[in-house]
Amino acid sequence: MIKFNYENAQFDYEPYPICYIPNVLDADLYKELQSTYPSIELFKFKKILGDKYSLAEKNNKQFYFDFLKKNEAWREFYHRIKNKAYVQEICDFMRDHHIDLGVRRFIYTKDSGKKRKGPIWRIANKRMVRSRFEFSIMPANGGHILPHTDDPRKLVTIVFSFINKNEWKDEWGGGTDVLLPKDRTKIYNQMNGQRPFAEMERIKTFPFNENQAVLFVKTYNSWHSVTPMTGPETGLRKTVTLNIENVI
């Protein structure tokens, strides 16, 4: 079974909980996943948050599952995170670091929950949670994610990098920015509105390195972004974004 290494996790608690985890995967497994990362031709361009390409259960769904069928390591990664045990693992990890997500008794589901409106849904009277992940590519020449705080259904977001250290330069950027609005009256953003970069104050940037994860909690003020990058057209910022979220 795939194991995630949380041993070197480094937490910040202000302005919201966020964690930087280096060497999060076994080196050999990371190399295999990085070298078999899907081709950009399988992705769907998404302009809604900035400038990125997505391959996920929601975006190019057929290509997503066809890719997983053909790639054993990524298929194992999929099954590793698509279950109740993984959600519990993350909740326990967060609780061990003084962050209680309030997720204890819950039903794990792989679907959106939109069809669960009958008696069983009401009788269960439990929280319903799911986990999912998205392959995400941004071009190094201008790729970016606008300042936002994430969908209100989200509990935790984890962004894994999948680059070879020889194919990315620090000066291109690509890090995850922790932000706050310069006008603090706009700090409350539970419903995930977007703001221009010019309106934000950058509190900290977590660098974009190989075999790392950046984990953060969705809050009313969990403002973050990726500043427009300054690399060449050939440069690609490759990540997997893993979400744990409530099902409505």
Side-chain angles (χ1 to χ4, degrees):
M1 183 179 73
I2 293 175
K3 292 185 178 180
F4 297 105
N5 175 26
Y6 308 116
E7 185 176 337
N8 298 310
Q10 305 162 23
F11 272 86
D12 283 358
Y13 294 88
E14 294 181 332
Y16 55 89
I18 188 165
C19 175
Y20 180 78
I21 311 173
N23 302 314
V24 67
L25 291 168
D26 171 80
D28 290 337
L29 173 61
Y30 178 81
K31 184 177 181 180
E32 182 175 2
L33 292 173
Q34 185 274 322
S35 64
T36 57
Y37 190 93
S39 169
I40 195 171
E41 285 76 22
L42 302 179
F43 287 62
K44 182 177 181 179
F45 181 68
K46 299 288 289 183
K47 191 70 177 177
I48 187 169
L49 277 178
D51 186 358
K52 78 167 192 176
Y53 295 82
S54 172
L55 178 65
E57 294 177 50
K58 292 184 177 181
N59 300 316
N60 278 6
K61 180 176 182 179
Q62 189 60 52
F63 289 165
Y64 177 82
F65 285 107
D66 284 348
F67 172 79
L68 293 177
K69 287 179 182 178
K70 297 174 183 176
N71 291 269
E72 182 178 355
W74 280 110
R75 189 166 61 250
E76 183 180 353
F77 185 91
Y78 173 87
H79 290 299
R80 173 68 170 87
I81 67 98
K82 293 285 286 189
N83 58 71
K84 185 175 183 176
Y86 178 73
V87 172
Q88 192 64 61
E89 176 183 314
I90 292 298
C91 290
D92 291 345
F93 168 67
M94 299 299 283
R95 196 177 299 115
D96 288 343
H97 290 84
H98 318 295
I99 301 163
D100 190 343
L101 299 174
V103 179
R104 289 179 174 80
R105 298 179 67 240
F106 66 96
I107 297 173
Y108 181 84
T109 180
K110 290 186 178 181
D111 61 36
S112 64
K114 292 180 180 179
K115 297 180 181 179
R116 295 175 177 264
K117 300 298 181 182
I120 294 178
W121 171 280
R122 292 191 294 271
I123 292 172
N125 195 28
K126 286 184 181 180
R127 190 175 201 161
M128 297 194 72
V129 178
R130 70 171 177 172
S131 53
R132 59 186 178 87
F133 75 86
E134 168 194 38
F135 296 102
S136 180
I137 290 178
M138 283 188 279
N141 60 329
H144 63 280
I145 295 292
L146 290 168
H148 67 291
T149 59
D150 281 344
D151 188 286
R153 292 172 297 179
K154 288 187 182 180
L155 295 166
V156 174
T157 297
I158 310 172
V159 182
F160 296 88
S161 66
F162 283 100
I163 55 163
N164 184 306
K165 64 181 179 180
N166 297 320
E167 67 181 8
W168 193 266
K169 295 185 178 181
D170 292 342
E171 56 263 34
W172 297 352
T176 300
D177 297 325
V178 177
L179 309 169
L180 284 178
K182 295 176 182 177
D183 179 353
R184 295 297 199 258
T185 66
K186 297 177 181 178
I187 197 170
Y188 189 90
N189 190 35
Q190 179 65 18
M191 301 311 294
N192 196 31
Q194 300 174 22
R195 308 299 304 184
F197 285 103
E199 294 185 8
M200 308 305 293
E201 175 187 351
R202 189 183 304 171
I203 306 300
K204 185 173 183 176
T205 297
F206 290 91
F208 183 62
N209 296 321
E210 64 173 346
N211 198 9
Q212 68 172 37
V214 178
L215 178 156
F216 50 92
V217 178
K218 157 65 183 179
T219 68
Y220 72 90
N221 67 335
S222 51
W223 288 98
H224 59 281
S225 69
V226 176
T227 300
M229 293 173 280
T230 58
E233 292 183 5
T234 54
L236 297 176
R237 182 187 187 271
K238 301 175 184 178
T239 61
V240 162
T241 301
L242 194 158
N243 297 305
I244 297 175
E245 56 196 10
N246 289 310
V247 175
I248 298 174

